Amino acid sequence: MALDAETMNHLIDTTARFVREKLMPLEAQVARDDVIPETIKHQFRELGFFGLAIPEEYGGLGLNMVEEARVAIELGRTSPCFRSLIGTNNGIGSQGIIMGGTEEQKRKYLPMLARGELISSFALTEPEAGSDASSLQTTAVRDGTDYVINGTKRFITNAPHAGLFTVFARTSNFTESKGEISAFLVEAPTGGLSLGPIDKKMGQSGSHTCDVIFDDCRVPATALLGGVEGAGFRTAMKVLDRGRLHISAVCVGMAERLIADSLAYAMQRTQFGQPIADFQLIQAMLADSQTEAYAARCMVLETARLKDLDVSVSTEAAACKLFASEMVGRVADRAVQIFGGAGYMTDFGIERFYRDVRLFRIYEGTSQIQQLVIARNMIRNAKNAT
Ligand code: COS
């Protein structure tokens, strides 16, 4: 259900002010220390940000997709690690439960996730199963009233802080590349579940990933998501459809921030006796960035609107992710160019964003996977129409 306009505008204003006054001043510190201060985590909890997309009946704010996208655009205007802190609880770490969990599972976990008392992670990717997600090799073998999980998950966002993992594992057809995949809700700590060291990354300091290792990890049958075997892969794909739209909104916010910074710099930086913003070659870069960011904004909000109408947006969400993530890469590249030598220096922060945005073209499905999803859907629709 949509919020009334006044409440929504208040939420957007509050988010924008929080980003501007609390998060932006911490960008350099968090990049240096690789840690988000506890006070900020506390404020995220107070503001209800861990539960933006969790239904109200389970303690969240229950935003619809358009509302969530608008908040994600605002959060996108600062270092991505801040959004990432609440990203899994609102997205890939909770949506599987919302879409496919039993009522008992929803009541057990969603309120704690909404309050930010519990951090959740989405454990799909493996060392040998990245883009080819359905080739995953982790197994969950039924043993009496339990399942025993074995396998390794890789690059799992927020895993070092997580108390709950949605784990995708094969429950039959163990030898075939496409077997039956099921999802499990695994709490941490649990015997047989361990974590690898925190990964060293190119950017996005303050947001952490690591391996999650299952070595005869025993969970009760009640951990099976939705209580049914074999529904896991479809759930993962639906969760990713939604996640891709959210990430696209973050890309829009980041692009708008970089454009604002580039414009401000171009207007005050003087060369050849005039602000560089007066030069048409600089203007061309600003105009291209503005146009592309606006296109991505329109795509994201329109796709979100369709999703709120319950239209299947698999193609559109992939198109948003493809365009918005590539777009913000180009915008960041132009920002470095407009800042010139200063853009390359650590003190100005532009090179940091340039590194941060590179991940958007990779996680929650690479650009090439988005192209594949779009084209496959086009071909399937064309065949169905004949
Ligand atoms: N919604 C619902 N169901 C979906 C779906 C969607 N968006 N996409 C696929 N499915 C279903 C299919 O209908 C199919 O079901 P049936 O077997 O009942 O027909 C099943 O899932 C398998 O689909 P498909 O045959 O398309 O699977 P593939 O292995 O060929 O490839 C891709 C699927 C490549 C699209 C998938 O592996 C993918 O998205 N990979 C990227 C993973 C990713 O984004 N990782 C990022 C890290 S996680 S943050």
Side-chain angles (χ1 to χ4, degrees), residues 9 17-18 36 65 70 81 142 147 197 207 215 223 309 313 350 364 380 383:
N9 288 339
R17 199 167 53 248
F18 180 59
I36 297 176
M65 200 65 226
R70 287 183 61 194
C81 66
R142 184 86 192 216
Y147 284 90
S207 164
D215 183 10
L309 294 174
V313 293
I350 297 297
E364 300 207 18
R380 188 185 312 117
K383 280 183 181 163

Short mmCIF file of all heavy atoms in Angstrom, two decimals, residues 9 17-18 36 65 70 81 142 147 197 207 215 223 309 313 350 364 380 383:
data_model
loop_
_atom_site.label_atom_id
_atom_site.label_comp_id
_atom_site.label_asym_id
_atom_site.label_seq_id
_atom_site.Cartn_x
_atom_site.Cartn_y
_atom_site.Cartn_z
N ASN A 9 6.87 12.45 1.18
CA ASN A 9 7.76 13.61 1.01
C ASN A 9 8.61 13.82 2.26
O ASN A 9 9.79 14.17 2.18
CB ASN A 9 6.97 14.87 0.68
CG ASN A 9 6.42 14.81 -0.73
OD1 ASN A 9 6.93 14.06 -1.56
ND2 ASN A 9 5.37 15.58 -1.00
N ARG A 17 18.33 14.72 4.08
CA ARG A 17 19.05 15.47 5.11
C ARG A 17 20.06 14.56 5.84
O ARG A 17 21.19 14.95 6.11
CB ARG A 17 18.04 16.06 6.12
CG ARG A 17 18.63 17.20 6.92
CD ARG A 17 17.60 18.00 7.69
NE ARG A 17 16.75 17.19 8.52
CZ ARG A 17 15.45 16.99 8.32
NH1 ARG A 17 14.85 17.59 7.30
NH2 ARG A 17 14.74 16.24 9.13
N PHE A 18 19.63 13.34 6.12
CA PHE A 18 20.52 12.36 6.78
C PHE A 18 21.77 12.11 5.91
O PHE A 18 22.89 12.10 6.41
CB PHE A 18 19.72 11.06 7.01
CG PHE A 18 20.49 9.97 7.68
CD1 PHE A 18 21.04 10.14 8.94
CD2 PHE A 18 20.64 8.73 7.06
CE1 PHE A 18 21.74 9.12 9.56
CE2 PHE A 18 21.33 7.70 7.68
CZ PHE A 18 21.88 7.89 8.92
N ILE A 36 31.87 1.38 9.24
CA ILE A 36 30.81 2.37 9.45
C ILE A 36 30.63 2.54 10.96
O ILE A 36 30.44 1.55 11.68
CB ILE A 36 29.49 1.89 8.81
CG1 ILE A 36 29.67 1.77 7.29
CG2 ILE A 36 28.34 2.85 9.14
CD1 ILE A 36 28.46 1.22 6.56
N MET A 65 7.31 -0.29 -4.46
CA MET A 65 8.57 -0.24 -5.22
C MET A 65 8.95 1.18 -5.64
O MET A 65 10.13 1.54 -5.63
CB MET A 65 8.45 -1.16 -6.45
CG MET A 65 9.77 -1.59 -7.04
SD MET A 65 10.78 -2.62 -5.94
CE MET A 65 12.38 -1.84 -6.11
N ARG A 70 12.64 5.64 -4.76
CA ARG A 70 12.91 7.06 -4.46
C ARG A 70 13.87 7.19 -3.26
O ARG A 70 14.76 8.02 -3.27
CB ARG A 70 11.59 7.80 -4.18
CG ARG A 70 10.77 8.03 -5.45
CD ARG A 70 9.52 8.81 -5.15
NE ARG A 70 9.81 10.14 -4.60
CZ ARG A 70 8.90 10.91 -4.02
NH1 ARG A 70 7.63 10.50 -3.90
NH2 ARG A 70 9.23 12.10 -3.56
N CYS A 81 28.59 2.07 0.52
CA CYS A 81 28.64 1.17 1.68
C CYS A 81 27.49 1.43 2.64
O CYS A 81 27.00 0.52 3.30
CB CYS A 81 29.97 1.29 2.41
SG CYS A 81 30.23 2.89 3.17
N ARG A 142 18.81 -34.62 3.21
CA ARG A 142 17.86 -34.89 4.31
C ARG A 142 18.40 -36.00 5.20
O ARG A 142 18.83 -37.05 4.70
CB ARG A 142 16.50 -35.28 3.69
CG ARG A 142 15.39 -35.50 4.67
CD ARG A 142 14.70 -34.21 5.02
NE ARG A 142 13.83 -34.38 6.16
CZ ARG A 142 12.67 -33.77 6.32
NH1 ARG A 142 12.22 -32.92 5.40
NH2 ARG A 142 11.94 -33.97 7.38
N TYR A 147 18.41 -31.33 7.75
CA TYR A 147 19.17 -31.33 6.50
C TYR A 147 20.63 -31.09 6.88
O TYR A 147 20.91 -30.31 7.81
CB TYR A 147 18.72 -30.20 5.57
CG TYR A 147 17.42 -30.47 4.86
CD1 TYR A 147 16.21 -30.07 5.43
CD2 TYR A 147 17.40 -31.09 3.61
CE1 TYR A 147 15.01 -30.29 4.78
CE2 TYR A 147 16.20 -31.32 2.94
CZ TYR A 147 15.01 -30.92 3.53
OH TYR A 147 13.83 -31.14 2.87
N PRO A 197 38.08 -15.11 5.66
CA PRO A 197 38.50 -13.73 5.99
C PRO A 197 37.73 -12.73 5.13
O PRO A 197 37.27 -13.07 4.03
CB PRO A 197 39.99 -13.71 5.66
CG PRO A 197 40.27 -14.94 4.87
CD PRO A 197 39.15 -15.92 5.08
N SER A 207 31.76 -1.76 3.26
CA SER A 207 30.82 -2.84 2.96
C SER A 207 31.66 -4.11 2.83
O SER A 207 32.67 -4.12 2.13
CB SER A 207 30.09 -2.55 1.65
OG SER A 207 29.46 -3.71 1.17
N ASP A 215 30.18 -27.03 6.48
CA ASP A 215 30.89 -28.31 6.62
C ASP A 215 30.05 -29.19 7.55
O ASP A 215 30.11 -29.04 8.76
CB ASP A 215 32.29 -28.05 7.20
CG ASP A 215 33.12 -29.31 7.30
OD1 ASP A 215 32.68 -30.35 6.76
OD2 ASP A 215 34.18 -29.27 7.95
N ALA A 223 13.94 -25.12 8.57
CA ALA A 223 14.76 -24.08 7.93
C ALA A 223 14.51 -24.01 6.42
O ALA A 223 14.94 -23.06 5.76
CB ALA A 223 16.24 -24.34 8.20
N LEU A 309 2.10 -2.51 -9.96
CA LEU A 309 0.82 -2.96 -10.56
C LEU A 309 0.81 -4.48 -10.74
O LEU A 309 -0.07 -5.02 -11.38
CB LEU A 309 0.62 -2.28 -11.91
CG LEU A 309 0.42 -0.76 -11.89
CD1 LEU A 309 0.36 -0.21 -13.32
CD2 LEU A 309 -0.87 -0.40 -11.14
N VAL A 313 8.24 -7.73 -14.38
CA VAL A 313 9.18 -6.75 -14.92
C VAL A 313 10.59 -7.33 -15.05
O VAL A 313 11.57 -6.60 -14.98
CB VAL A 313 9.22 -5.45 -14.06
CG1 VAL A 313 7.92 -4.70 -14.14
CG2 VAL A 313 9.60 -5.76 -12.60
N ILE A 350 36.63 11.80 -5.91
CA ILE A 350 36.02 11.40 -7.19
C ILE A 350 36.57 10.04 -7.65
O ILE A 350 35.82 9.18 -8.12
CB ILE A 350 36.26 12.49 -8.26
CG1 ILE A 350 35.56 13.79 -7.85
CG2 ILE A 350 35.76 12.03 -9.63
CD1 ILE A 350 34.06 13.71 -7.73
N GLU A 364 24.72 -8.64 -8.43
CA GLU A 364 23.28 -8.90 -8.74
C GLU A 364 23.09 -9.11 -10.24
O GLU A 364 22.06 -8.75 -10.82
CB GLU A 364 22.39 -7.79 -8.17
CG GLU A 364 22.55 -7.73 -6.65
CD GLU A 364 21.37 -7.20 -5.88
OE1 GLU A 364 20.26 -7.16 -6.44
OE2 GLU A 364 21.55 -6.85 -4.70
N ARG A 380 11.46 -15.49 -26.17
CA ARG A 380 10.37 -16.32 -25.64
C ARG A 380 9.00 -15.68 -25.94
O ARG A 380 8.08 -16.35 -26.40
CB ARG A 380 10.53 -16.52 -24.13
CG ARG A 380 9.52 -17.52 -23.58
CD ARG A 380 9.55 -17.69 -22.08
NE ARG A 380 10.88 -17.89 -21.54
CZ ARG A 380 11.47 -17.05 -20.69
NH1 ARG A 380 10.84 -15.96 -20.28
NH2 ARG A 380 12.67 -17.30 -20.22
N LYS A 383 8.13 -16.12 -29.58
CA LYS A 383 7.70 -17.50 -29.88
C LYS A 383 6.28 -17.73 -29.39
O LYS A 383 5.46 -18.35 -30.08
CB LYS A 383 8.65 -18.49 -29.22
CG LYS A 383 9.94 -18.70 -29.98
CD LYS A 383 10.79 -19.75 -29.30
CE LYS A 383 12.09 -19.94 -30.06
NZ LYS A 383 13.10 -20.63 -29.26
#
